[in-house]
């Protein structure tokens, strides 16, 4: 669940501490970035991102972050880096597998 009344599991751990304003921003990011994509859409994003890999790191990262993070990678990243560090990731797949974690 992704609203202020239902913060994700582990919200109160030191690594996930955020102010109420930061939580608001986090949940706005969930609405903005967690987009379910088809395989074709993902392939298209990868092709665009690879075009920028050697020429424009920022554009490469912008495109790459649109790709849904695999669930097991997302849960591991959360454990080591915290929710705030992954607020701009596409967690659509991870939320399907771990609905209470993001």
């Amino acid at each position: 669940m992704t609203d202020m009344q239902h913060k994700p599991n582990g919200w109160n751990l030191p690594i996930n501490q955020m102010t109420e304003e930061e939580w608001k921003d986090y949940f706005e990011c969930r609405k903005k970035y967690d987009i379910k994509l088809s395989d074709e859409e993902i392939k298209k994003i990868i092709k665009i991102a690879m075009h920028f890999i050697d020429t424009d790191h920022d554009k490469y990262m912008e495109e790459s972050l649109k790709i849904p993070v695999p669930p097991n990678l997302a849960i591991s990243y959360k454990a080591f880096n915290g929710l705030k560090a992954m607020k701009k990731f596409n967690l659509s797949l991870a939320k399907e597998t771990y609905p209470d974690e993001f």
Side-chain angles (χ1 to χ4, degrees):
M1 300 196 169
T2 55
D3 62 54
M4 291 297 285
Q5 287 75 33
H6 301 283
K7 292 178 182 169
N9 286 345
W11 69 270
N12 56 347
L13 294 172
I15 197 165
N16 294 321
Q17 291 297 298
M18 291 189 253
T19 66
E20 287 305 309
E21 191 61 32
E22 289 171 322
W23 277 113
K24 184 178 177 183
D25 181 50
Y26 174 81
F27 289 118
E28 288 300 315
C29 287
R30 297 284 49 84
K31 291 177 190 173
K32 180 178 179 180
Y33 296 114
D34 295 349
I35 300 167
K36 188 153 175 76
L37 301 171
S38 69
D39 289 343
E40 283 303 312
E41 290 169 314
I42 293 170
K43 287 176 187 177
K44 185 176 178 181
I45 291 169
I46 291 170
K47 186 175 180 178
I48 293 167
M50 294 309 293
H51 177 75
F52 295 107
I53 196 165
D54 292 325
T55 59
D56 189 338
H57 177 74
D58 291 338
K59 186 68 174 166
Y60 169 76
M61 289 304 297
E62 178 185 329
E63 292 298 322
S64 295
L65 288 173
K66 294 176 184 177
I67 301 166
V69 178
N72 290 340
L73 180 60
I75 199 76
S76 296
Y77 195 92
K78 175 188 172 185
F80 287 98
N81 298 287
L83 290 163
K84 188 175 179 179
M86 56 195 319
K87 73 180 188 176
K88 292 186 178 180
F89 293 5
N90 181 339
L91 300 175
S92 60
L93 293 177
K95 286 167 57 176
E96 289 177 5
T97 303
Y98 303 107
D100 298 325
E101 296 296 328
F102 303 100

